[in-house]
Amino acid sequence: MSPRNFAFREIPSPDAGLLEVVIAGLNQEPKRLPCSLLYDEAGSRLFDAICDTDEYYITRTEVALLERHGPQIAEWIGPASVVVELGAGNLQKARLLLQHFPSPVTYVPVDISKEHLRQSALEFAEALNHVKVQAICADFHQADAIRSVLPLEGRRVLFFPGSTIGNLEPDEALQFLRQSQQILGNKGMVLVGVDLKKDASILNAAYNDAAGITALFETNILVRLKRELGAALDPQSFVYKGFYNEPLGRVEMYLVSLREQTVRIGPRQFPFKTGERIHLENSYKYSVSEFQALAAKAGLLPLDTWVDADRLFSLHLLECQAPR
Ligand code: AVJ
């Protein structure tokens, strides 16, 4: 039995299927696969495990910022709001935030990992019964479809924590911030977590945890291709490599082929040389002023910015400049 304050919807993705996406990516030079494919059920759980490693400072730092400044954020946003979270994951951060919000408040977590989302959203609705939870299983780029299912009343706030925005190229991030305002409307706000530029040694450790969970998370994409597409490949014949590319201000994540081999998916063949890579992720890092400049270009002005004492992570509250 679902609690009264809980609803779940699925917006079917108009995007190409898994097979088409994988073929298109592996036909590119250099080969690549979209990082959204990392988050199947196993991948979502492995990502949660990364967040618990000592080296991955991002989650605990952002959580501490939300705990510390939650009441102030709630005050900025005001009552009767609609909080939309894109790429919601395990909803832990929204819990920290929304516990400070007065009733009534609507929370709309959006995520592509269906059962993981359903389970976390249910637990959320049971734990915070003053919040109306309306979960949507969808790709977070489907702004139109998401907007069409939102309640009409109340200030809309887009919550985009975890530095997920770092996965986008800066010009894509700009596009995304522009488009997000279509969801928001008049007086809308964006609360976004952004990982800061910092010493390479801290970043390299964060993306190469000693327990090897990051490597498992990235390699899981191959396990998924085997299982869901019947791909003929040995996941053990690839190793994970992740490092900070300082000039480009981003951590780059790859799978590297340990030998010359051919990966087969149905009738298709993808030859690999020894050392040839599949590019899986970029994770861009921004200084506070770099990110504020990007947001301003998208028409979003800073209301407030919070940074931890070690200057590891930033939380930006932005407001739509002009009513749309
Ligand atoms: C979910 C994109 C924020 O870039 O830190 C972490 C993904 N990959 N470790 C990040 C990730 C490997 C993560 N984001």
Side-chain angles (χ1 to χ4, degrees):
M1 257 274 296
S2 301
R4 278 201 352 279
N5 60 332
F6 174 82
F8 190 90
R9 273 201 185 74
E10 196 175 353
I11 299 175
S13 169
D15 293 348
L18 179 65
L19 179 64
E20 286 70 37
V21 170
V22 168
I23 290 170
L26 293 182
N27 273 331
Q28 283 179 52
E29 192 53 60
K31 295 179 173 66
R32 54 176 311 137
L33 289 171
C35 58
S36 58
L37 298 187
L38 291 164
Y39 298 89
D40 63 352
E41 299 297 325
S44 296
R45 289 206 159 69
L46 284 166
F47 183 69
D48 286 349
I50 289 177
C51 294
D52 289 335
T53 62
D54 286 343
E55 296 92 339
Y56 196 73
Y57 59 86
I58 290 189
T59 312
R60 62 170 179 273
T61 308
E62 186 176 41
V63 160
L65 286 172
L66 286 167
E67 276 174 338
R68 179 142 184 219
H69 304 290
Q72 199 189 346
I73 296 169
E75 214 164 289
W76 272 117
I77 291 172
S81 55
V82 179
V83 177
V84 181
E85 180 174 7
L86 302 183
N90 66 10
L91 320 193
Q92 172 213 17
K93 292 165 193 169
R95 240 197 238 208
L96 290 173
L97 185 67
L98 290 177
Q99 63 181 356
H100 300 289
F101 282 49
S103 191
V105 53
T106 304
Y107 172 50
V108 183
V110 180
D111 203 281
I112 43 172
S113 187
K114 188 169 167 188
E115 291 316 315
H116 191 252
L117 173 66
R118 192 198 302 275
Q119 197 47 45
S120 332
L122 255 175
E123 280 163 23
F124 188 104
E126 272 155 9
L128 273 74
N129 44 44
H130 74 288
V131 179
K132 198 171 164 195
V133 180
Q134 302 200 304
I136 303 178
C137 176
D139 182 289
F140 70 67
H141 290 99
Q142 292 178 263
D144 279 342
I146 294 165
R147 181 183 48 188
S148 68
V149 303
L150 295 181
L152 295 171
E153 301 294 310
R155 183 207 296 283
R156 291 178 179 177
V157 182
L158 201 74
F159 184 37
F160 202 43
S163 207
T164 307
I165 199 163
N167 263 160
L168 303 177
E169 292 295 320
D171 62 325
E172 292 169 344
L174 178 64
Q175 267 293 101
F176 169 77
L177 289 173
R178 281 205 179 114
Q179 277 172 11
S180 66
Q181 293 168 73
Q182 292 169 9
I183 297 183
L184 292 172
N186 199 15
K187 297 211 162 145
M189 292 180 180
V190 177
L191 179 63
V192 54
V194 182
D195 197 21
L196 293 169
K197 286 199 163 135
K198 60 181 64 66
D199 201 277
S201 63
I202 299 176
L203 287 167
N204 285 326
Y207 291 85
N208 290 282
D209 64 284
I213 297 170
T214 306
L216 274 180
F217 169 70
E218 306 285 341
T219 316
N220 175 62
I221 203 168
L222 300 178
V223 179
R224 179 177 184 183
L225 299 192
K226 265 187 85 130
R227 191 186 55 241
E228 291 186 33
L229 300 178
L233 61 85
D234 175 11
Q236 307 275 27
S237 67
F238 288 85
V239 283
Y240 163 71
K241 186 171 171 62
F243 58 88
Y244 186 44
N245 181 333
E246 193 146 12
L248 292 182
R250 69 189 198 192
V251 173
E252 300 177 4
M253 286 161 265
Y254 299 93
L255 294 175
V256 185
S257 178
L258 286 173
R259 48 178 160 86
E260 193 175 318
Q261 60 179 318
T262 301
V263 168
R264 291 186 177 77
I265 305 178
R268 294 181 179 77
Q269 306 202 352
F270 303 96
F272 282 83
K273 301 186 186 79
T274 304
E276 187 173 344
R277 307 187 293 192
I278 307 173
H279 194 175
L280 291 183
E281 295 194 78
N282 289 320
S283 187
Y284 278 89
K285 311 303 174 188
Y286 295 89
S287 70
V288 166
S289 57
E290 278 171 346
F291 191 77
Q292 285 179 342
L294 186 77
K297 258 200 199 169
L300 292 165
L301 296 183
L303 283 173
D304 218 334
T305 306
W306 300 273
V307 171
D308 59 292
D310 299 321
R311 301 203 67 81
L312 295 172
F313 198 85
S314 62
L315 204 52
H316 296 253
L317 185 64
L318 309 159
E319 190 175 38
C320 298
Q321 196 171 28
R324 285 168 191 249

